[in-house]
Amino acid sequence: MFDAQAVWEKLSGTRRRSPLRFLWAFPVAAALLLGVFLFRRNGWTEYHSYDVAQAFTLADGTHVTLAPGATLRYQPHKDPRQVSMTGRVLYEVAHDEAHPFVVSAPSATVMVLGTVFQVRADEAGTRVDVTEGRVRFCGTAGESLVLAAGEGASLQEGIPVLEEAALPNPSAWATGIFRYESTPLETVLEELSAFYGIPLSTEAKGKRLTGSFSTESLDEILYLVQAALDVQIDIQ
């Protein structure tokens, strides 16, 4: 395993800056735009994220991060703790065994005591990915599925079905971190390509990557990976 920050500090003094850096300047500008709207109605606190992802701490200590376009409604001091949502939201639920935390999406519910997980509920369907702890994923057909850390599931005809995670870091948009543990380089490049919208490839075979990287700059990630694994990564 290598320390990405240490490698970057060692090599950045001699590195030629890539024009690709300017492609990632737009999140800084976007952060200056209005990103969220919050108001209270009938005892519910409502959150709406517009142009950028936005993080909040609910009254019970739970941390939520709303992706652009997501909505969340929360009624404090209720038992069980309950929110309703649309879009994509990352939850870091404050542990409370006496008061479960329930997420209601248009076609499913997720029940937890305290854990970290993501729910995506949009026109493509409803999916849950668990980072820490365990959750119970319930569909409209009455079936339920318990998911542990590293597992994900989506609804198929109202029934939650366990699915292997397509990519290692489904919540990188909210956490700002890519984490890899002996991950095939092909999988890393597939995730980076999807995240940044730029096709990446390499002719190197059998390479695996262990390390953590900030999502702030793709060209810095590519520079570190190429230096660490002695490979050439092509931008198509």
Side-chain angles (χ1 to χ4, degrees):
M1 183 173 182
F2 72 96
D3 185 331
Q5 183 61 34
V7 174
W8 173 245
E9 291 175 354
K10 180 178 179 181
L11 298 178
S12 59
T14 59
R15 172 176 172 268
R16 295 177 62 187
R17 300 177 72 83
S18 166
L20 185 61
R21 167 180 295 277
F22 297 102
L23 294 177
W24 314 122
F26 75 88
V28 177
L32 300 177
L33 300 176
L34 177 63
V36 67
F37 181 62
L38 178 154
F39 63 94
R40 292 176 174 83
R41 181 173 61 188
N42 297 328
W44 290 83
T45 301
E46 302 191 6
Y47 304 86
H48 299 254
S49 183
Y50 293 107
D51 299 307
V52 296
Q54 185 75 29
F56 301 94
T57 300
L58 304 182
D60 69 335
T62 292
H63 299 285
V64 296
T65 305
L66 279 65
T71 66
L72 185 141
R73 300 175 71 244
Y74 173 66
Q75 193 169 25
H77 314 303
K78 291 294 183 179
D79 184 16
R81 298 173 289 170
Q82 187 163 0
V83 300
S84 62
M85 60 156 289
T86 61
R88 180 166 55 170
V89 180
L90 177 69
Y91 298 86
E92 300 175 60
V93 177
H95 187 81
D96 186 344
E97 291 189 5
H99 303 91
F101 190 95
V102 179
V103 178
S104 297
S107 57
T109 59
V110 181
M111 301 178 63
V112 303
L113 294 177
T115 186
V116 180
F117 63 101
Q118 173 182 277
V119 179
R120 189 202 71 207
D122 53 28
E123 65 279 357
T126 302
R127 179 179 174 88
V128 176
D129 290 283
V130 181
T131 303
E132 297 178 14
R134 298 162 66 88
V135 309
R136 180 175 296 278
F137 184 20
C138 307
T140 55
E143 301 286 340
S144 66
L145 185 66
V146 175
L147 302 175
E151 295 182 332
S154 62
L155 285 184
Q156 297 183 14
E157 297 182 353
I159 299 174
V161 177
L162 185 67
E163 294 181 345
E164 183 177 348
L167 296 172
N169 297 279
S171 301
W173 64 272
T175 63
I177 298 292
F178 294 114
R179 290 188 174 88
Y180 300 109
E181 183 69 35
S182 190
T183 305
L185 181 57
E186 294 84 354
T187 301
V188 174
L189 296 184
E190 180 184 358
E191 179 165 73
L192 296 178
S193 296
F195 189 90
Y196 294 103
I198 292 182
L200 303 169
S201 64
T202 182
E203 294 183 359
K205 303 298 181 184
K207 299 285 187 175
R208 290 181 173 269
L209 182 67
T210 296
S212 299
F213 306 88
S214 168
T215 61
E216 290 183 359
S217 174
L218 174 60
D219 63 335
E220 291 181 7
I221 295 174
L222 297 182
Y223 182 70
L224 291 170
V225 172
Q226 290 178 119
L229 299 183
D230 190 24
V231 297
Q232 175 64 42
I233 297 175
D234 300 316
I235 301 173
Q236 300 176 359

